[in-house]
Amino acid sequence: MHYAATHAASLADPAAFWAQQAELLAWDTPPTDTLSQDENGHYRWFHGGKLNTAGLCLDVHVRAGRGGQTALIYDSPVTNTVRTYTYAALLDVVARCAGGLRQLGVGVGDRVIIYMPNVPEAVVAMLACARLGAVHSVVFGGFAPAELAVRIDDARPKVLICAAGGMEFDRIIPYKPLVDLALELASHQPDFVAVMQREFVTAELQAPRDVTFASLLAAAPVPAVPVPATHPLYILYTSGTTGRPKGVVRDHGGHAVALRFSMEAVYGLAPGDVIFTGSDIGWAVGHSYIVYGPLLRGCTTVLFEGKPVRTPDAGTFWRIVAQHRVQVLFTAPTAIRAIKKEDPDGLLVRRYNLKSLRHLFLAGERCDPATYAWASALLGVPVVDHWWQTESGWPMLATLVGLQTMPAPRAGSAGFPVPGFDVQVLDEAGLPVPPGTTGLVAVRLPLPPGCFPTLWNDAARFREAYLAPFPGYYLSGDGGYRDADGYCFIMGRVDDVINIAGHRLSTGEMEEILAAHPAVAECAVLGVADALRGQVPLGLVVLKDGQTIAETALEAELVAAVRTRIGALACFRTVLVVARLPKTRSGKILRKTLRQLADGEAVVVPSTIDDPLILDEIDAALKRRAAVL
Ligand code: COA
Ligand code: AMP
């Protein structure tokens, strides 16, 4: 397959293109309409078809005689464990777990929340839900109870599955007390909480609500339930511009077709190849390329419980590549920067034989050219930055290493549109801009299979947030440009979302938390450049008249509030008290200007600014603060 012809074919006749891809899957009932629209006018793929994603991930391979192949390698330096599961073994445990969940009353369409670190039981729980036609929603373990509670109330799960705890470096984080607190905060209550006990932490169980995860596995195995292609497989919450997360929905049919295609075309992986995705199952990357993509393709996936550094050292990724003969390593640029910081000369790589490695894929944030150059030189394999979002579920821009005549990656660029994606850069009026001009990155509809068909419980928000701004397009929320050679560059969000160590968080939500403090009159939270995490949040607050609270005391209270409400992963650590915030004459806070000031960039003073002198005051405050830090 040649890239240009494949991409052109996918846009010229999307239905014909994806119908051909769909034929590569084992459907229980083949679809009647490849592309149709639902009652809301939203595009849907493979209407009329029936299949089961867990069946495609496991049963199909076992039936084809590949049950003895390794499906999953659990590599956990934090617990000193390496454990492998063949396809047959994984099928067995998933089928029993599904039986156990069914005994708890879980059936087609019921929701199950999973709050676990990267342990095989989490993958088993996801696949067991899929097997029953139940809808899983994995919540990243770093989120605080209040965030978990919001998701519980939105998804209304019948069962919540959690681990007794996780391990952050060498620190034990008990999860069960967080779950108990979340359930106190939530209005909705699941019927059961299934707890996976761990050697290093045992959770207290409250009968009859709490059961052990192990007890689920004692059930008799159940077969995969064929469900409509458009049936939801999972909900994954992601940060929007407000405190209310968006429940991105993924369906069974389109998702399976798209991920199978991507494994081959984007990552160049064949059945039996090994992929190590150094992410968390709580993120879209983890869903697609730790769990579903590799298993749909019959690959071996490495599930890593640890960090790129200090577990035990910055060579841990290289050790895994060598030990498990990994072909594709996929992680976030921040992980590479963390490794580079601890091992700048890459000495640890020399301890390992990385001959198996074909490509390093990066996503989650833009790969800065310095990190790109360092990793390329160190590993001697192509480094591929590729762009995607929770909403898309798979890459929209990439260098597709499985296709031919693909231009080589270029530093700073996320590559070219992936087949199925008609990526455009638009101006504020929704018109395409010429090459070299920065604009809003949008994708012409219909989005290909695998992308979210809607938001859970909120089709109206789906339309308003993504489709309404530019009719006929999906608005990504990212800004960027295309160069004269067609390479696309994604330069960052154009909304109130920031990216901290590859984690997507809402500054709007942080502002809501700061604004709730009794001393705060108004505030702005900005994402400022950070050498390790890409961005970190900075809070600027204006005190109410008459407030005398010391800046350090206020900072401590606000930092604690964000940590309690969102979680430590927000890395909210700095607050600056300022006299005023710069605004337009219509009262809008000039966040972009503030960010430019904080990053020491050249500030373009907007003509609409109310009082330009405020910028000097804030600049002085930032410099005072930097001098103290
Ligand atoms: N459970 C509980 N707490 C968690 C957590 C989890 N799953 N994940 C992160 N946290 C906590 C950390 O313990 C830390 O807490 P602290 O402030 O008390 O120290 C805080 O959240 C910030 O975490 P993080 O930003 O991950 O910092 P770190 O120093 O632990 O690690 C990196 C830094 C760069 C090594 C790490 O962020 C990383 O591996 N990033 C890759 C990200 C990634 O894979 N993203 C997915 C997109 S592809
Ligand atoms: P998430 O939904 O958590 O996967 O985050 C998606 C956001 O991460 C995107 O909207 C981008 O802002 C950013 N992102 C992901 N991958 C890239 C990339 N390769 N280049 C630039 N930004 C990226």
Side-chain angles (χ1 to χ4, degrees):
M1 287 198 287
H2 286 261
Y3 166 70
T6 308
H7 186 253
S10 74
L11 300 194
D13 190 348
F17 181 86
W18 291 109
Q20 218 177 7
Q21 289 301 322
E23 280 173 17
L24 301 172
L25 293 185
W27 294 81
D28 290 281
T29 309
T32 45
D33 296 319
T34 304
L35 179 61
S36 55
Q37 281 171 291
D38 66 13
E39 63 286 0
N40 294 314
H42 301 161
Y43 287 102
R44 300 307 304 250
W45 289 95
F46 309 117
H47 177 79
K50 283 193 158 188
L51 78 184
N52 183 290
T53 302
L56 298 178
C57 286
L58 301 170
D59 304 58
V60 164
H61 303 305
V62 174
R63 272 204 302 273
R66 303 184 48 238
Q69 187 204 302
T70 303
L72 185 141
I73 301 170
Y74 167 55
D75 191 310
S76 169
V78 291
T79 59
N80 233 334
T81 313
V82 176
R83 199 186 322 149
T84 61
Y85 292 73
T86 62
Y87 270 94
L90 192 57
L91 169 58
D92 174 58
V93 68
V94 166
R96 284 187 285 120
C97 182
L101 285 172
R102 183 173 281 167
Q103 282 177 0
L104 298 186
V106 176
V108 176
D110 289 331
R111 275 81 58 210
V112 174
I113 282 192
I114 299 171
Y115 187 65
M116 299 170 105
N118 272 5
V119 287
E121 289 76 0
V123 177
V124 168
M126 291 165 79
L127 291 163
C129 291
R131 193 167 187 83
L132 294 173
V135 185
H136 63 69
S137 186
V138 182
V139 178
F140 176 61
F143 277 121
E147 288 292 324
L148 179 57
V150 170
R151 288 153 175 78
I152 291 170
D153 279 339
D154 196 64
R156 306 180 66 76
K158 198 162 233 178
V159 172
L160 190 154
I161 304 177
C162 69
M167 186 82 89
E168 279 288 294
F169 299 110
D170 51 4
R171 182 161 53 111
I172 295 171
I173 309 228
Y175 278 27
K176 181 62 172 26
L178 306 178
V179 169
D180 289 337
L181 186 52
L183 290 172
E184 275 173 33
L185 297 171
S187 319
H188 173 83
Q189 297 296 307
D191 295 345
F192 294 99
V193 175
V195 184
M196 177 217 168
Q197 300 286 18
R198 304 201 70 182
E199 265 175 32
F200 58 86
V201 52
T202 306
E204 264 182 45
L205 304 187
Q206 297 170 27
R209 186 196 69 183
D210 298 348
V211 298
T212 61
F213 185 81
S215 71
L216 302 185
L217 305 185
V222 296
V225 178
V227 291
T230 51
H231 184 71
L233 168 67
Y234 68 77
I235 308 165
L236 181 56
Y237 289 91
T238 188
S239 297
T241 50
T242 67
R244 204 160 57 85
K246 293 166 165 168
V248 164
V249 175
R250 199 87 55 212
D251 61 17
H252 274 254
H255 173 252
V257 173
L259 287 198
R260 204 217 70 90
F261 171 76
S262 71
M263 288 298 291
E264 190 179 359
V266 178
Y267 301 98
L269 289 167
D273 282 342
V274 185
I275 175 168
F276 164 31
T277 300
S279 177
D280 190 282
I281 48 136
W283 308 118
V285 170
H287 279 61
S288 294
Y289 296 109
I290 295 175
V291 184
Y292 288 111
L295 299 179
L296 282 162
R297 185 76 176 132
C299 294
T300 298
T301 185
V302 179
L303 175 72
F304 172 65
E305 188 185 22
K307 298 263 177 172
V309 291
R310 290 182 281 143
T311 56
D313 60 28
T316 198
F317 276 16
W318 321 136
R319 193 262 309 156
I320 288 175
V321 169
Q323 188 170 335
H324 306 306
R325 296 190 186 85
V326 168
Q327 271 81 52
V328 162
L329 167 59
F330 176 176
T331 189
T334 187
I336 302 294
R337 287 195 299 269
I339 294 170
K340 181 178 161 199
K341 191 163 168 249
E342 301 212 353
D343 180 23
D345 299 322
L347 299 178
L348 292 168
V349 167
R350 297 194 200 145
R351 290 194 194 159
Y352 303 101
N353 177 347
L354 303 191
K355 251 192 3 225
S356 64
L357 189 67
R358 295 200 290 248
H359 298 101
L360 168 65
F361 280 86
L362 298 172
E365 54 175 322
R366 177 171 182 255
C367 179
D368 53 287
T371 302
Y372 175 88
W374 187 81
S376 303
L378 184 73
L379 299 175
V381 297
V383 174
V384 182
D385 182 11
H386 62 329
W387 172 65
W388 56 304
Q389 303 181 303
T390 306
E391 288 85 344
S392 69
W394 63 294
M396 296 182 275
L397 294 172
T399 297
L400 293 98
V401 305
L403 300 186
Q404 288 153 14
T405 52
M406 188 79 223
R410 183 171 283 181
S413 164
F416 290 81
V418 168
F421 292 96
D422 187 355
V423 179
Q424 299 288 336
V425 184
L426 307 178
D427 64 16
E428 297 285 344
L431 297 171
V433 298
T437 307
T438 299
L440 308 166
V441 181
V443 184
R444 212 192 293 271
L445 300 178
L447 294 174
C451 296
F452 69 148
T454 189
L455 291 177
W456 185 253
N457 282 339
D458 212 342
R461 190 176 184 196
F462 171 70
R463 278 192 301 279
E464 281 154 27
Y466 300 105
L467 307 184
F470 298 119
Y473 289 95
Y474 159 75
L475 186 62
S476 71
D478 281 320
Y481 66 95
R482 197 191 297 260
D483 74 10
D485 300 323
Y487 283 87
C488 298
F489 292 74
I490 302 293
M491 303 308 290
R493 299 288 304 194
V494 293
D495 55 14
D496 296 338
V497 168
I498 57 173
N499 200 311
I500 304 159
H503 307 141
R504 172 171 158 182
L505 290 152
S506 162
T507 52
E509 179 174 14
M510 294 181 211
E511 285 176 8
E512 284 172 27
I513 297 166
L514 304 199
H517 190 284
V520 173
E522 62 176 345
C523 63
V525 174
L526 333 165
V528 296
D530 180 76
L532 174 64
R533 293 186 172 84
Q535 283 185 304
V536 288
L538 164 73
L540 297 179
V541 299
V542 178
L543 295 185
K544 286 179 183 159
D545 283 350
Q547 288 292 337
T548 51
I549 184 167
E551 188 164 0
T552 45
L554 179 66
E555 180 174 67
E557 286 175 24
L558 295 177
V559 166
V562 174
R563 205 177 162 93
T564 308
R565 178 67 185 75
I566 299 179
L569 83 164
C571 293
F572 183 84
R573 289 168 190 163
T574 315
V575 173
L576 206 53
V577 174
V578 293
R580 309 175 284 169
L581 290 169
K583 294 187 186 166
T584 61
R585 280 187 281 277
S586 60
K588 208 165 166 280
I589 295 172
L590 290 162
R591 287 186 170 71
K592 188 171 166 196
T593 314
L594 282 171
R595 194 187 47 69
Q596 285 169 336
L597 263 184
D599 285 347
E601 289 174 10
V603 176
V604 187
V605 181
S607 56
T608 50
I609 193 165
D610 189 32
D611 179 359
L613 287 180
I614 299 178
L615 295 181
D616 296 334
E617 290 170 20
I618 293 190
D619 194 30
L622 284 165
K623 290 200 170 108
R624 269 200 310 276
R625 173 70 196 214
V628 175
L629 284 178

